[in-house]
Amino acid sequence: MQYLSILEALGGLGVFILGMKTMSEGLQKIAGDRFRRHLERIAGNRLTAALLGSTLSSLLQSSSAACIITVGFINAGLISLYQALGILLGTGIGTTLAVQFIAFKISSFALPAVFVGVCLRCFLRRRRWVNAGELILGAGLLFLGLRIMESNLQPLQEYAIVFTHQGLFIPKRLPPFCSVRRSPCSSSREAPPSP
C-alpha cells in the first residue's frame, strides 16, 4: 500500500511536469507582442509586480501555482528573472490573502480545465483558440498533478521519519546545562566601594 502511494505520487509528479511544460508552450504561442509589453510594464515596477504576484496566488489559492506560472513566464521569455522577483515576493502576500478563500479549492477545476483545453485544442481550427486550449490544458494537467500528489502523499505522513521520530530531531525538554538560572552580572548588584 505504501509503495503504491509513492508510485502514484510519482505519476502525479509526471502529470505536474507535463502540465507545466504544456502550459509554458501554450503561453509562448499565445503571448503576442501586446501581452508581452503589458507584462513587461507590470513586472518592471516592483510594486505592481508584487501586486500581480499577490493577485495570482490569492486567486489560484496556491503560492506554488503562482510561482509555477511565473517560472512559465520566465521560460517563455516574457519576463526576466529580475522582474520575476517582485512577482515571487508578492506571492507571499497573496498566500496570506488566500486564507480568506480557503473553502474554494482550485484543484477541483483541474478536470474541467483539461476537458476545455482538449476541446479547444482538438476541435477548433483557429490558431488563437488552439493555443489557448493548449494553455488551459497545461493548467488543468498542472492542477491535476498537484491533486494526485496531495492525495497520495497524505497517507505517508504517518510513515515519515520526521513525524515518527520527532524526539530525535527536536527534544521536548531542554537539557539542564542549556538553561541559565542566574547570570553573573545580575548576581551582585552592590555599589562599588567608596574611597
Side-chain angles (χ1 to χ4, degrees), residues 21-167:
K21 183 171 175 29
T22 306
M23 190 174 74
S24 175
E25 289 172 358
L27 196 60
Q28 280 178 342
K29 292 175 185 174
I30 203 169
D33 290 333
R34 186 174 173 190
F35 177 72
R36 188 173 303 210
R37 276 181 280 148
H38 286 305
L39 188 61
E40 283 180 359
R41 192 178 74 226
I42 290 172
N45 185 354
R46 293 179 195 154
L47 183 62
T48 57
L51 185 63
L52 175 66
S54 63
T55 304
L56 270 175
S57 63
S58 62
L59 289 178
L60 294 175
Q61 293 289 309
S62 172
S63 63
S64 60
C67 290
I68 289 166
I69 289 173
T70 306
V71 169
F73 288 156
I74 296 170
N75 237 358
L78 300 176
I79 58 174
S80 67
L81 182 61
Y82 179 75
Q83 291 172 325
L85 289 177
I87 298 172
L88 294 175
L89 288 174
T91 58
I93 299 168
T95 303
T96 58
L97 294 175
V99 174
Q100 302 300 318
F101 303 113
I102 198 71
F104 183 68
K105 290 258 187 197
I106 193 71
S107 63
S108 61
F109 293 111
L111 289 175
V114 168
F115 175 74
V116 169
V118 167
C119 287
L120 289 174
R121 189 170 180 218
C122 294
F123 300 123
L124 294 177
R125 299 279 183 234
R126 293 190 70 183
R127 200 73 187 140
R128 174 180 277 171
W129 290 106
V130 171
N131 293 338
E134 189 172 353
L135 177 67
I136 294 170
L137 174 66
L141 287 174
L142 185 132
F143 291 125
L144 180 64
L146 279 175
R147 189 167 74 179
I148 291 170
M149 285 190 294
E150 179 185 359
S151 67
N152 286 307
L153 291 176
Q154 190 74 27
L156 294 178
Q157 280 185 343
E158 62 193 45
Y159 297 114
I161 191 167
V162 174
F163 293 113
T164 57
H165 295 83
Q166 281 184 349

